[in-house]
Each structure stands twice: as structure tokens, then as C-alpha cells.
């Protein structure tokens, strides 16, 4: 089984996945990091981990379709079975999602459907909610939406600051994402055929 991680930023989830592959907790090959931001810290993490980096900048293509065709070509080249979005900041088109239906996972730092969007940890913190959490899900054509694979709650205590909550969320993410990938590899998630 061949994996691709798509990321645009810091890359702590990329590193958690790379570590789990290296330790044989995930029995698959991490073939490639697809990144749209050449200066993102995740690029250096991939280089250090010996994972090939494909840099694809949206602005180098006239349309999203052309951009995605270039990405798809690389995914075919590396025979990618499963795409792992880990802080990838570009939205994928419905065509792309259909092509890889139930083969694109995403991790989101809230208990979806609560707190969608790019500020999920902060939004939960300022809302005064007692709980938030982490969700790993397959993506569908809507944003931060699709079949949930794993979800885990975290209590927001009165002593939490935004920084302490972020720390708790990220360490849970680094456990939950590899677990979800393992379930996929073990064939424990229901799949549909590629369109
Ligand atoms: C994570 O909080 C993830 O849930 C969200 O983007 C963030 C990426 O963090 N989708 P990192 O780049 O993996 O450190």
C-alpha cells in the first residue's frame, strides 16, 4: 500500500505518520509529500525523513483542473492508494474527490460537525464549550465533511489556555491519525471502488 501526505504548513502530523511508517506501526510505504508551499516547514521534515517531495504551486497552472491533473499524474506515477490530508490548505474539487472516493482522509482539530474551518481550536476555546476533540474522516465534496473514521473528545478545563489546548489537540492528532491509517490498511473500513 502506497501513501501520499498532502500538507501546506508545519507538518507535525506528517512527522507522526512518517514515524509510524518507520516503526512499522503502519505497514505501508510513505511514497511522497505533496506540498503547495515551497517554504513550509513540512518540506524540511520530509527531506530529513527521506520522503520525496512534490511541490505543486496552484499559481503555476491556469485552472484548478490543470493543477489537479498534474497532481493526479504524480499520484498515478507513484501508484498511490491512500491520500492523507494533514493541514493541506487548498480545497480539492468534487471531480478529484470522486476519483479518490473513500481514499482521501483528513484530520480536523474538533469534533465535527462542530467547529469547521481553519480556526477550529480557537473557535472551540472562545466558545466556552466544555469539550472539543479531533476527527479523522474521509472527505467528500463539502468542506470538513464526510464519513467519520475516528473521533476522540478532549475536555477543555478552566485552567486551559489556548496554547495548552492546542498542545493537547496536537498530541491526540498524532496518535489518532496513524490509528485511522492502520484501520484502512487492515481493511477494517468499508470502501467503495475508484470512480
Ligand atoms: C492540524 O491541526 C490538523 O488537524 C489541521 O491542520 C493542522 C496541521 O498541523 N487540519 P500540522 O501541519 O500537521 O502540524
Amino acid at each position: 500500500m502506497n501513501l501520499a501526505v498532502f500538507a501546506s504548513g508545519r507538518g507535525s502530523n506528517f512527522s507522526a505518520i512518517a514515524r509510524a511508517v518507520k516503526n512499522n506501526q503502519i505497514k505501508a510505504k510513505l511514497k511522497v509529500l505533496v506540498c503547495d508551499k515551497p517554504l513550509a516547514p513540512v518540506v524540511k521534515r520530509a527531506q530529513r525523513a527521506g520522503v520525496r517531495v512534490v511541490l505543486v504551486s496552484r499559481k503555476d497552472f491556469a485552472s484548478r483542473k490543470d493543477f489537479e491533473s498534474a497532481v493526479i499524474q504524480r499520484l498515478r506515477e507513484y501508484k498511490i492508494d491512500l491520500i492523507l490530508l494533514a493541514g493541506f490548505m487548498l480545497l480539492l474539487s468534487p471531480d478529484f474527490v470522486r476519483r479518490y472516493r473513500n481514499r482521501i482522509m483528513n484530520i480536523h482539530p474538533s469534533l465535527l460537525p462542530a467547529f469547521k474551518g481553519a480556526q477550529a481550536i480557537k473557535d472551540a476555546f472562545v466558545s466556552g464549550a466544555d469539550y472539543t476533540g479531533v476527527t479523522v474522516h474521509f472527505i467528500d465534496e463539502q468542506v470538513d465533511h464526510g464519513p467519520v473514521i475516528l473521533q476522540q473528545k478532549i475536555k477543555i478545563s478552566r485552567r486551559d489556555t489556548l496554547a495548552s489546548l492546542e498542545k493537547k489537540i496536537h498530541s491526540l492528532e498524532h496518535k489518532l491519525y496513524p490509528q485511522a491509517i492502520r484501520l484502512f490498511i487492515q481493511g477494517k473500513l468499508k470502501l467503495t471502488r475508484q470512480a
Side-chain angles (χ1 to χ4, degrees):
M1 173 113 24
N2 293 330
L3 312 178
V5 173
F6 284 28
S8 309
R10 185 177 55 162
S12 69
N13 281 284
F14 168 85
S15 292
I17 294 164
R19 222 170 15 245
V21 169
K22 197 170 172 211
N23 298 339
N24 222 19
Q25 285 162 341
I26 293 176
K27 293 183 183 14
K29 291 191 178 120
L30 178 47
K31 282 286 199 183
V32 69
L33 166 73
V34 174
C35 180
D36 60 315
K37 294 272 184 282
L39 299 177
V42 69
V43 172
K44 286 241 159 59
R45 287 179 187 256
Q47 286 164 346
R48 277 201 299 271
V51 174
R52 188 182 284 104
V53 179
V54 169
L55 285 173
V56 274
S57 202
R58 172 64 186 84
K59 63 176 169 34
D60 294 340
F61 297 88
S63 66
R64 179 160 77 168
K65 199 170 177 9
D66 291 348
F67 167 78
E68 289 187 346
S69 299
V71 173
I72 289 166
Q73 200 184 320
R74 305 308 294 273
L75 297 177
R76 285 204 172 132
E77 198 178 309
Y78 296 116
K79 300 191 173 15
I80 296 303
D81 302 294
L82 179 64
I83 296 168
L84 305 160
L85 305 184
F88 187 63
M89 297 314 283
L90 292 177
L91 287 181
L92 297 168
S93 72
D95 276 351
F96 191 100
V97 173
R98 275 194 286 274
R99 176 183 288 268
Y100 291 98
R101 170 86 64 206
N102 287 350
R103 296 194 297 137
I104 310 174
M105 285 187 192
N106 182 41
I107 186 154
H108 185 80
S110 78
L111 291 176
L112 289 174
F115 305 113
K116 296 179 177 180
Q119 303 288 325
I121 305 176
K122 190 170 170 203
D123 291 346
F125 184 72
V126 300
S127 77
D130 291 328
Y131 289 93
T132 183
V134 170
T135 303
V136 183
H137 65 103
F138 287 119
I139 69 163
D140 67 10
E141 291 83 347
Q142 298 172 52
V143 178
D144 292 333
H145 193 265
V148 170
I149 301 164
L150 288 175
Q151 213 166 29
Q152 202 168 311
K153 263 207 276 192
I154 283 182
K155 183 160 174 51
I156 307 177
S157 87
R158 260 175 290 146
R159 274 164 304 164
D160 268 320
T161 58
L162 178 57
S164 71
L165 181 61
E166 280 171 349
K167 207 166 161 212
K168 284 198 265 183
I169 296 253
H170 293 310
S171 57
L172 177 57
E173 287 185 331
H174 302 159
K175 279 189 279 175
L176 220 55
Y177 216 170
Q179 275 177 28
I181 298 164
R182 263 202 311 275
L183 290 175
F184 181 94
I185 290 169
Q186 291 166 350
K188 292 187 175 162
L189 305 176
K190 207 174 137 215
L191 301 175
T192 56
R193 278 170 180 280
Q194 185 183 350

Short mmCIF file of all heavy atoms in Angstrom, two decimals, residues 148-169:
data_model
loop_
_atom_site.label_atom_id
_atom_site.label_comp_id
_atom_site.label_asym_id
_atom_site.label_seq_id
_atom_site.Cartn_x
_atom_site.Cartn_y
_atom_site.Cartn_z
N VAL A 148 -17.02 9.73 9.11
CA VAL A 148 -16.06 9.78 10.22
C VAL A 148 -15.42 8.41 10.41
O VAL A 148 -16.09 7.38 10.42
CB VAL A 148 -16.77 10.23 11.52
CG1 VAL A 148 -15.87 10.07 12.74
CG2 VAL A 148 -17.23 11.68 11.39
N ILE A 149 -14.10 8.41 10.58
CA ILE A 149 -13.37 7.17 10.84
C ILE A 149 -13.09 7.03 12.33
O ILE A 149 -13.40 6.01 12.94
CB ILE A 149 -12.05 7.14 10.03
CG1 ILE A 149 -12.35 7.24 8.53
CG2 ILE A 149 -11.24 5.88 10.33
CD1 ILE A 149 -11.16 7.60 7.68
N LEU A 150 -12.51 8.04 12.92
CA LEU A 150 -12.24 8.05 14.37
C LEU A 150 -12.47 9.46 14.90
O LEU A 150 -12.17 10.44 14.21
CB LEU A 150 -10.78 7.67 14.66
CG LEU A 150 -10.36 6.22 14.46
CD1 LEU A 150 -8.85 6.11 14.69
CD2 LEU A 150 -11.09 5.28 15.40
N GLN A 151 -12.96 9.50 16.12
CA GLN A 151 -13.21 10.78 16.74
C GLN A 151 -12.92 10.62 18.22
O GLN A 151 -13.31 9.62 18.82
CB GLN A 151 -14.69 11.13 16.54
CG GLN A 151 -14.96 12.57 16.39
CD GLN A 151 -16.35 12.88 15.87
OE1 GLN A 151 -17.28 12.12 16.09
NE2 GLN A 151 -16.48 14.00 15.19
N GLN A 152 -12.22 11.57 18.79
CA GLN A 152 -11.96 11.48 20.24
C GLN A 152 -12.12 12.84 20.90
O GLN A 152 -11.69 13.85 20.37
CB GLN A 152 -10.57 10.91 20.50
CG GLN A 152 -10.48 10.31 21.88
CD GLN A 152 -9.20 9.49 22.06
OE1 GLN A 152 -8.89 8.65 21.21
NE2 GLN A 152 -8.48 9.73 23.12
N LYS A 153 -12.74 12.78 22.09
CA LYS A 153 -13.05 14.01 22.84
C LYS A 153 -11.87 14.46 23.69
O LYS A 153 -11.11 13.62 24.19
CB LYS A 153 -14.19 13.68 23.82
CG LYS A 153 -15.55 14.05 23.34
CD LYS A 153 -16.51 14.33 24.46
CE LYS A 153 -17.20 13.20 25.10
NZ LYS A 153 -18.30 13.47 25.98
N ILE A 154 -11.80 15.75 23.92
CA ILE A 154 -10.84 16.32 24.88
C ILE A 154 -11.60 17.32 25.74
O ILE A 154 -12.36 18.14 25.20
CB ILE A 154 -9.71 17.07 24.13
CG1 ILE A 154 -8.71 16.09 23.55
CG2 ILE A 154 -9.00 18.07 25.04
CD1 ILE A 154 -7.56 16.75 22.83
N LYS A 155 -11.40 17.25 27.04
CA LYS A 155 -12.07 18.21 27.92
C LYS A 155 -11.32 19.54 27.88
O LYS A 155 -10.09 19.57 27.89
CB LYS A 155 -12.09 17.66 29.36
CG LYS A 155 -12.84 18.56 30.29
CD LYS A 155 -13.31 17.86 31.55
CE LYS A 155 -13.93 18.86 32.51
NZ LYS A 155 -14.96 19.71 31.92
N ILE A 156 -12.06 20.63 27.80
CA ILE A 156 -11.44 21.95 27.93
C ILE A 156 -11.60 22.34 29.40
O ILE A 156 -12.73 22.57 29.86
CB ILE A 156 -12.13 23.00 27.01
CG1 ILE A 156 -12.19 22.49 25.56
CG2 ILE A 156 -11.40 24.34 27.10
CD1 ILE A 156 -12.92 23.43 24.59
N SER A 157 -10.49 22.35 30.11
CA SER A 157 -10.62 22.64 31.55
C SER A 157 -10.52 24.15 31.77
O SER A 157 -10.06 24.88 30.90
CB SER A 157 -9.56 21.89 32.34
OG SER A 157 -8.38 22.66 32.40
N ARG A 158 -10.94 24.56 32.97
CA ARG A 158 -10.92 26.01 33.25
C ARG A 158 -9.49 26.54 33.29
O ARG A 158 -9.26 27.72 33.13
CB ARG A 158 -11.67 26.30 34.55
CG ARG A 158 -13.10 26.80 34.25
CD ARG A 158 -13.89 26.96 35.51
NE ARG A 158 -14.18 25.66 36.08
CZ ARG A 158 -14.26 25.42 37.39
NH1 ARG A 158 -14.06 26.37 38.25
NH2 ARG A 158 -14.55 24.21 37.81
N ARG A 159 -8.56 25.62 33.54
CA ARG A 159 -7.15 26.07 33.60
C ARG A 159 -6.51 26.13 32.22
O ARG A 159 -5.39 26.62 32.08
CB ARG A 159 -6.35 25.15 34.51
CG ARG A 159 -6.43 25.56 35.98
CD ARG A 159 -5.97 24.43 36.84
NE ARG A 159 -6.78 23.24 36.53
CZ ARG A 159 -6.46 22.00 36.88
NH1 ARG A 159 -5.36 21.76 37.51
NH2 ARG A 159 -7.26 20.99 36.60
N ASP A 160 -7.17 25.60 31.20
CA ASP A 160 -6.57 25.61 29.86
C ASP A 160 -6.39 27.02 29.33
O ASP A 160 -7.25 27.88 29.52
CB ASP A 160 -7.44 24.81 28.88
CG ASP A 160 -7.04 23.36 28.78
OD1 ASP A 160 -5.81 23.09 28.78
OD2 ASP A 160 -7.93 22.49 28.73
N THR A 161 -5.27 27.21 28.62
CA THR A 161 -5.11 28.40 27.79
C THR A 161 -5.26 27.91 26.36
O THR A 161 -5.26 26.69 26.12
CB THR A 161 -3.69 28.99 27.96
OG1 THR A 161 -2.75 27.96 27.59
CG2 THR A 161 -3.43 29.42 29.39
N LEU A 162 -5.31 28.84 25.42
CA LEU A 162 -5.38 28.39 24.02
C LEU A 162 -4.16 27.53 23.69
O LEU A 162 -4.28 26.48 23.05
CB LEU A 162 -5.47 29.61 23.08
CG LEU A 162 -5.52 29.29 21.59
CD1 LEU A 162 -6.67 28.36 21.24
CD2 LEU A 162 -5.60 30.57 20.76
N ALA A 163 -3.00 27.95 24.20
CA ALA A 163 -1.77 27.21 23.90
C ALA A 163 -1.80 25.80 24.50
O ALA A 163 -1.41 24.83 23.83
CB ALA A 163 -0.56 27.98 24.43
N SER A 164 -2.32 25.66 25.74
CA SER A 164 -2.32 24.32 26.34
C SER A 164 -3.33 23.42 25.62
O SER A 164 -3.10 22.23 25.44
CB SER A 164 -2.60 24.39 27.85
OG SER A 164 -3.94 24.75 28.10
N LEU A 165 -4.44 24.03 25.19
CA LEU A 165 -5.44 23.24 24.46
C LEU A 165 -4.87 22.79 23.10
O LEU A 165 -5.03 21.63 22.71
CB LEU A 165 -6.72 24.06 24.25
CG LEU A 165 -7.85 23.35 23.51
CD1 LEU A 165 -8.30 22.09 24.27
CD2 LEU A 165 -9.04 24.28 23.29
N GLU A 166 -4.17 23.69 22.43
CA GLU A 166 -3.57 23.33 21.13
C GLU A 166 -2.61 22.16 21.31
O GLU A 166 -2.60 21.22 20.50
CB GLU A 166 -2.80 24.54 20.55
CG GLU A 166 -3.73 25.52 19.88
CD GLU A 166 -3.03 26.81 19.48
OE1 GLU A 166 -1.89 27.05 19.90
OE2 GLU A 166 -3.66 27.60 18.76
N LYS A 167 -1.84 22.22 22.39
CA LYS A 167 -0.86 21.16 22.64
C LYS A 167 -1.56 19.81 22.83
O LYS A 167 -1.15 18.79 22.26
CB LYS A 167 -0.06 21.53 23.89
CG LYS A 167 1.30 20.95 23.90
CD LYS A 167 2.16 21.59 24.96
CE LYS A 167 3.33 20.65 25.20
NZ LYS A 167 3.80 20.68 26.55
N LYS A 168 -2.64 19.82 23.61
CA LYS A 168 -3.39 18.56 23.85
C LYS A 168 -3.98 18.03 22.54
O LYS A 168 -3.93 16.83 22.26
CB LYS A 168 -4.53 18.81 24.85
CG LYS A 168 -4.08 18.94 26.27
CD LYS A 168 -5.26 18.74 27.23
CE LYS A 168 -5.88 20.05 27.63
NZ LYS A 168 -6.97 19.93 28.59
N ILE A 169 -4.55 18.96 21.75
CA ILE A 169 -5.17 18.53 20.48
C ILE A 169 -4.12 17.92 19.57
O ILE A 169 -4.32 16.85 18.99
CB ILE A 169 -5.82 19.75 19.77
CG1 ILE A 169 -6.97 20.30 20.60
CG2 ILE A 169 -6.21 19.40 18.35
CD1 ILE A 169 -8.35 20.04 20.11
#
